[in-house]
Structure formats: structure tokens, C-alpha cells
């Protein structure tokens, strides 16, 4: 039985919640990522003004990413280039700290940023699934989402560097 919009709007959390298409799942993932960033912002030390400004600029872009599959395209080349620039900024600031796999741990908001990174990967995977299902969207979306996941990782490294917290290497027995 297909669900339909209830008469009582208190029983309806999202206009597309009863869809069976993957588009709704994608939108929920991007919303989740935006919420994770809100958590990070609430935990970010006051002196990290550059990171705060970047995350505050990123939240609306993630909602633009959200609406870019169902609605009008909202992620553009200049957004990707801005994010790449910010990635490079943090990567250069903590150059050489990570040379292999590290365990996703550290003081707040580092673990929360690792959750952002994982959700970013889920968004990339969902875009793959949407494309596989025949949904058309601009190529900028997976490009932006991939840079986004990488950006969150480099932020974890930069924050731990500023806080003088060591990375904990992970040596894989699998690869």
C-alpha cells in the first residue's frame, strides 16, 4: 500500500517523505549533512574564525546541493573552485601531518567533522544511485560532493594541528 499525504499535517514531516524514489533519500542525506555542520559550529572554538566563516558559507551551499536534483540547479563552478581553495588553505596549513590512514578521533568537533565526511561520501554514493536510476543532474553535483567529503577530512587535520593533538595512525592488515 502506498502512503499518501495525511490530513493532519503534524503527521507529515517532509513533503516528499512517502516517495519511493531515491530523490527523497538524497535530500534527507544533504539535510543531515547541513545539520551535522550546525553541530560542528556549536562546538567550534571561538578562535577558529576562518573555519567558522567557511562552514557558515558552506551550509547554504549544501542546501543548494539538496535542491539541485529535484529543482533548479544551484551548485556552480565558482562554488567548486571556492571549496577547492579552502581545502588547499587547510591542507597547506597542516602539511605533512597525515601520511596514511588515521583513526577518526580527537576532541570535539573533530569526530563530528568525520561524521560530516562520511555523510558527504553517502551523498556521492546516492548521486551514483540516482544517476543509475536515470535521474539527470548537472555534473557539478558529484564533483562538489566529492570535494566536500575531502574538505571535511582536511578540516579534522587542521583542527587537530591547531589544538596540538596527534593523529593516531591506522595500519591496515587488509591492504
Amino acid at each position: 500500500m502506498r502512503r499518501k499525504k495525511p490530513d493532519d499535517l503534524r503527521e507529515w514531516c517532509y513533503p516528499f517523505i512517502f516517495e519511493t524514489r531515491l530523490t527523497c533519500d538524497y535530500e534527507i542525506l544533504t539535510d543531515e549533512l547541513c545539520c551535522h555542520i550546525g553541530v560542528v559550529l556549536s562546538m567550534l572554538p571561538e578562535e577558529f574564525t576562518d573555519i567558522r566563516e567557511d562552514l557558515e558559507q558552506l551550509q547554504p551551499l549544501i542546501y543548494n546541493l539538496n535542491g539541485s536534483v529535484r529543482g533548479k540547479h544551484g551548485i556552480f563552478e565558482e562554488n567548486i573552485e571556492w571549496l577547492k581553495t579552502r581545502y588547499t588553505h587547510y591542507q597547506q596549513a597542516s602539511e605533512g601531518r597525515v601520511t596514511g590512514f588515521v583513526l577518526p578521533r580527537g576532541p570535539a568537533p573533530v569526530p563530528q567533522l568525520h561524521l560530516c565526511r562520511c555523510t558527504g561520501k553517502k551523498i556521492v554514493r546516492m548521486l551514483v544511485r540516482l544517476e543509475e536510476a536515470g535521474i539527470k543532474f548537472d555534473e557539478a553535483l558529484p564533483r562538489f560532493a566529492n570535494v566536500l567529503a575531502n574538505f571535511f577530512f582536511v578540516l579534522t587535520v587542521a583542527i587537530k594541528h591547531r589544538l596540538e593533538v596527534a593523529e593516531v595512525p591506522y595500519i591496515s592488515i587488509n591492504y
Side-chain angles (χ1 to χ4, degrees), residues 109-121:
V110 170
Q112 292 78 9
L113 282 165
H114 279 295
L115 290 173
C116 289
R117 176 182 56 82
C118 287
T119 305
K121 288 180 182 180

Side-chain angles (χ1 to χ4, degrees), residues 25-65:
D25 300 285
Y26 165 79
E27 292 163 344
I28 291 169
L29 281 174
T30 53
D31 185 34
E32 179 181 329
L33 180 56
C34 207
C35 293
H36 281 311
I37 291 172
V39 171
V40 170
L41 284 167
S42 75
M43 299 177 160
L44 198 62
E46 296 240 350
E47 64 271 18
F48 293 179
T49 55
D50 56 340
I51 295 173
R52 177 171 305 284
E53 288 170 4
D54 289 340
L55 292 175
E56 287 174 350
Q57 188 167 340
L58 203 50
Q59 270 189 313
L61 290 176
I62 291 168
Y63 276 146
N64 291 351
L65 182 67

Side-chain angles (χ1 to χ4, degrees), residues 6-17:
D7 293 331
D8 185 342
L9 293 183
R10 294 173 295 180
E11 298 175 14
W12 190 46
C13 65
Y14 185 61
F16 306 108
I17 200 69

